[in-house]
């Protein structure tokens, strides 16, 4: 922001939301990674919360496409000095954490009883708990940079190893 206004440039702030793809870690504190890891090992997929929080996940290649398209668009459409666009980059497809766990199990060919919803409080130490973390991508769509070619089920099939 400072550089754009101080030097009279144009620019874009691209707010990147959750993404996944090849080399996505299956051993850190992200729900999707944990679900993929458990499914790949044939283990029970545990959802610690109520499973009702909503998220969205963009496949890595779609995310890269949107980033590149916004850079090219901003460069092509630069109209006046100091223009700054703020664009949310991510998927508009919302899914609850519980349904995400069930989808991962289904893609992995696991039976329904391989998903366990524990219902533990969603309290967080120091961070606000977000019940919905899904971007408003209307600006990206209006600018013509929104792309979602690989939907969640298809992307998961390329990642879950059974």
């Amino acid at each position: 922001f400072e550089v754009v206004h101080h030097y009279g440039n144009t620019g874009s702030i691209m707010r990147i939301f959750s993404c996944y793809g090849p080399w996505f870690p299956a051993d850190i504190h992200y729900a999707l990674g944990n679900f993929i890891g458990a499914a790949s090992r044939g283990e029970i997929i545990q959802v610690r919360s109520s499973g009702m929080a909503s998220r969205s996940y963009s496949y890595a290649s779609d995310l890269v496409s949107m980033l590149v398209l916004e850079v090219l668009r901003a460069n092509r459409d630069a109209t006046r000095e100091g223009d700054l666009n703020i664009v949310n980059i991510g998927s508009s497809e919302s899914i609850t954490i519980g349904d995400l766990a069930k989808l991962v199990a289904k893609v992995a060919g696991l039976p329904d009883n391989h998903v366990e919803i524990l219902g533990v409080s969603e309290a967080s130490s120091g961070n606000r708990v977000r019940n919905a973390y899904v971007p408003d991508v209307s600006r990206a769509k209006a600018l013509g940079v929104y792309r979602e070619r690989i939907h969640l089920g298809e992307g998961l099939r390329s990642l879950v190893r059974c």
Side-chain angles (χ1 to χ4, degrees):
F1 180 78
E2 290 293 323
V3 171
V4 168
H5 288 285
H6 182 73
Y7 293 103
N9 295 329
T10 60
S12 291
I13 294 173
M14 293 172 271
R15 299 181 66 230
I16 299 172
F17 284 71
S18 298
C19 74
Y20 69 103
W23 303 288
F24 188 75
D27 59 353
I28 57 175
H29 68 278
Y30 295 110
L32 182 56
N34 291 332
F35 298 165
I36 291 170
S40 295
R41 295 185 299 273
E43 299 172 359
I44 300 275
I45 298 172
Q46 288 190 335
V47 178
R48 294 187 43 80
S49 68
S50 69
M52 297 309 296
S54 294
R55 301 288 183 264
S56 71
Y57 298 89
S58 183
Y59 198 75
S61 61
D62 288 340
L63 182 116
V64 170
S65 292
M66 288 184 266
L67 292 171
V68 169
L69 286 168
E70 173 53 16
V71 168
L72 294 173
R73 187 217 55 82
N75 196 28
R76 180 196 69 218
D77 295 348
T79 55
R80 59 176 200 166
E81 293 181 358
D83 275 354
L84 179 66
N85 281 302
I86 300 173
V87 184
N88 290 334
I89 303 292
S91 174
S92 63
E93 284 186 28
S94 175
I95 187 168
T96 66
I97 296 295
D99 286 344
L100 177 65
K102 292 172 187 171
L103 179 60
V104 170
K106 180 180 175 182
V107 167
L110 298 173
D112 291 340
N113 66 354
H114 263 69
V115 174
E116 193 174 80
I117 311 267
L118 301 177
V120 175
S121 170
E122 298 181 39
S124 179
S125 58
N127 293 321
R128 177 172 60 96
V129 175
R130 291 184 173 100
N131 289 325
Y133 196 65
V134 179
D136 174 356
V137 295
S138 57
R139 180 92 176 120
K141 287 179 177 180
L143 293 171
V145 301
Y146 183 77
R147 297 293 185 275
E148 193 162 14
R149 292 190 175 101
I150 300 177
H151 295 277
L152 189 56
E154 179 185 353
L156 289 175
R157 279 188 281 286
S158 73
L159 299 178
V160 176
R161 312 269 185 258
C162 297

